[in-house]
Amino acid sequence: MEKIMPNRLDRGFYMYQDEFEAKALEVLRSGWYILGNEVKNFENEFASYVGAKHCVGLASGLDALWIAFRILGIGTGDEVIVQGNTYIASVMGITMNGATPVFVEPDEYFNIDASKIEEKITGKTKAVLVVHLYGQASNMGPIVDLCKKHNLRLVEDCAQAHGAKFNGQQIGTFGDIGCFSFYPSKNLGAFGDAGAITTNDDKIAEDTRVFRNYGSEKRYYNKVVGANSRLDEIQAGFLRVRLSHLDELAREKEQICERYLNELHNDKIELPRIREGATHIWHQFVIKSEYRDELMKYLDDNGIGTIIHYPIPPHLSEAYQYLGLKEGSLPITEKYAKSVLSIPLYNGMTKEEQDYVIEMINKF
Ligand SMILES: *Cc1c(COP(=O)(O)O)cnc(C)c1O
């Protein structure tokens, strides 16, 4: 068998090859490449999928995050609460505006520990950024209550959790703004960079639309100093194709993860768990092991690639040394960084590939 990779983007393309190719030709032949009908239709379709009033397409997930905080007026002197164990883009979305991230430890589901948020609120706290990490919805009940109680903005980093729900409500609709990435490896992926925000607030949607296009509502009349962060027509077209199949794609991943949950048996590993009331759309299947590094090497030697999400938590990265947070300041976050491992998971994963991954992990 050829080596099993942690992810196979080619498989996701070939599943709907004809539709993707037809869409590419349609857009190329249309003569309209930026902010046209594909973007408009995708925004409407995705807003309706998420159950939000508005969706505004942007150039990437990081852009969605920093533009969200910019539109909310959060910047220098302000603090934003975020979990310690996230992809560094979550944190950059905060610091690109000059605001300071205040880290909270994760719970056993890898999401922010809601019971540890309140102790971090100061007079400077302006917002909470929840990250629905690996595809599982965060504990939104207490988080929404806390934000109301302390009059804080709530922003959701939904880059890994398109379609996940908490108590039946889709993520991306709980707060002021939901930030999505459509990077190719995400559950709803484009064939290049792409992102979006969702919101129920008319003004936030309008301000974001203006901001993404050089701050102009009407061509050459610029209201604010904005950015160029537009979603391309061709990517929006590809996203419409993928979105139309997202439920079946999610079901396929769920079936693979059900096998993993039922058939992986090894005392040296801990399987992921799902919070009551939350759904998981399995962006990653993340196991924990004290023997993580040995396991990773053993699997690699046996033709199975795995990946660590993420080996260095943001507060220990070189980029954030200026925050002055030393090793030991977030013990749970740091422990996760040393023990988590994402095993192969992708649409189009064959039964033989699944069998082999299960067999080899069980033999470790
Ligand atoms: C992928 C990702 C982002 C950034 O998205 P890009 O489109 O790559 O800029 C932000 N947050 C999380 C949690 C992500 O996984």
Side-chain angles (χ1 to χ4, degrees):
M1 185 164 22
E2 70 177 313
K3 180 164 179 166
I4 298 175
M5 310 295 280
N7 198 352
R8 289 288 298 264
L9 300 179
D10 53 338
R11 299 272 177 91
F13 164 66
Y14 286 112
M15 285 172 87
Y16 308 108
Q17 178 181 8
D18 293 348
E19 287 176 69
F20 286 128
E21 289 181 357
K23 183 56 81 175
L25 287 178
E26 184 191 334
V27 175
L28 288 171
R29 287 167 178 168
S30 75
W32 195 293
Y33 307 117
I34 297 281
L35 296 186
N37 286 331
E38 293 294 337
V39 169
K40 231 176 271 159
N41 288 328
F42 172 70
E43 288 175 339
N44 289 334
E45 288 158 11
F46 192 62
S48 130
Y49 179 83
V50 170
K53 195 164 171 197
H54 305 279
C55 165
V56 182
L58 299 168
S60 72
L62 174 60
D63 278 12
L65 286 157
W66 77 261
I67 291 172
F69 289 109
R70 179 70 60 97
I71 295 296
L72 294 174
I74 292 168
T76 308
D78 298 333
E79 293 176 356
V80 177
I81 289 172
V82 62
Q83 70 201 60
N85 64 325
T86 184
Y87 182 49
I88 202 157
S90 315
V91 183
M92 289 186 177
I94 296 166
T95 60
M96 281 172 76
N97 290 297
T100 303
V102 174
F103 296 107
V104 169
E105 293 271 48
D107 58 22
E108 68 263 44
Y109 306 97
F110 300 116
N111 283 327
I112 193 167
D113 187 336
S115 71
K116 293 180 181 158
I117 293 176
E118 200 155 28
E119 66 202 51
K120 300 283 185 173
I121 296 174
T122 71
K124 293 179 179 170
T125 311
K126 290 284 153 45
V128 174
L129 173 64
V130 288
V131 186
H132 307 288
L133 202 68
Y134 306 145
Q136 177 165 199
S138 302
N139 191 9
M140 296 314 289
I143 296 172
V144 167
D145 290 346
L146 269 176
C147 289
K148 281 204 185 109
K149 178 174 164 197
H150 294 276
N151 200 21
L152 302 176
R153 298 291 207 163
L154 175 55
V155 179
E156 295 174 78
D157 182 338
C158 309
Q160 302 190 358
H162 318 77
K165 290 180 181 144
F166 181 80
N167 284 347
Q169 183 181 341
Q170 284 227 23
I171 57 126
T173 63
F174 285 91
D176 297 281
I177 302 181
C179 302
F180 287 86
S181 165
F182 308 118
Y183 181 77
S185 69
K186 310 293 188 188
N187 281 42
L188 177 59
F191 292 88
D193 280 304
I197 62 133
T198 53
T199 183
N200 288 322
D201 184 303
D202 297 345
K203 173 139 183 5
I204 287 173
E206 185 48 36
D207 287 352
T208 307
R209 264 182 227 291
V210 168
F211 191 87
R212 74 171 169 189
N213 193 21
Y214 298 111
S216 88
E217 209 165 359
K218 194 172 143 200
R219 203 173 224 183
Y220 307 130
Y221 292 79
N222 302 77
K223 295 212 303 199
V224 294
V225 180
N228 171 356
S229 181
R230 298 172 298 218
L231 173 60
D232 292 344
E233 281 287 283
I234 198 156
Q235 298 302 342
F238 292 144
L239 286 167
R240 293 182 68 202
V241 171
R242 187 105 67 183
L243 181 60
S244 72
H245 297 292
L246 193 56
D247 288 338
E248 72 213 41
L249 289 165
R251 253 197 315 280
E252 184 191 25
K253 270 192 149 180
E254 188 177 31
Q255 277 160 4
I256 298 167
C257 292
E258 268 165 19
R259 284 201 66 193
Y260 282 165
L261 288 172
N262 291 328
E263 297 175 42
L264 285 174
H265 301 289
N266 188 320
D267 293 345
K268 295 191 193 69
I269 67 164
E270 210 181 302
L271 298 175
R273 283 185 291 161
I274 304 178
R275 181 194 307 281
E276 213 182 303
T279 69
H280 200 316
I281 58 120
W282 302 111
H283 174 58
Q284 302 293 347
F285 191 94
V286 178
I287 62 176
K288 273 193 295 189
S289 177
E290 257 181 83
Y291 309 95
R292 196 265 315 272
D293 294 341
E294 293 96 312
L295 174 60
M296 192 174 188
K297 178 167 188 312
Y298 155 87
L299 290 173
D300 190 61
D301 290 344
N302 285 286
I304 299 172
T306 56
I307 192 165
I308 301 168
H309 296 105
Y310 299 92
I312 301 171
H315 73 284
L316 297 181
S317 71
E318 202 180 332
Y320 286 118
Q321 285 316 288
Y322 75 87
L323 294 171
L325 294 167
K326 294 279 171 292
E327 189 147 6
S329 56
L330 293 167
I332 302 173
T333 297
E334 292 165 23
K335 197 170 148 225
Y336 283 179
K338 293 195 174 80
S339 55
V340 293
L341 190 65
S342 307
I343 65 174
L345 174 65
Y346 43 87
N347 287 115
M349 188 176 191
T350 65
K351 178 165 181 304
E352 290 66 37
E353 288 170 336
Q354 298 166 33
D355 290 342
Y356 184 65
V357 169
I358 291 167
E359 182 196 332
M360 295 317 288
I361 291 178
N362 286 345
K363 275 196 192 150
F364 171 65

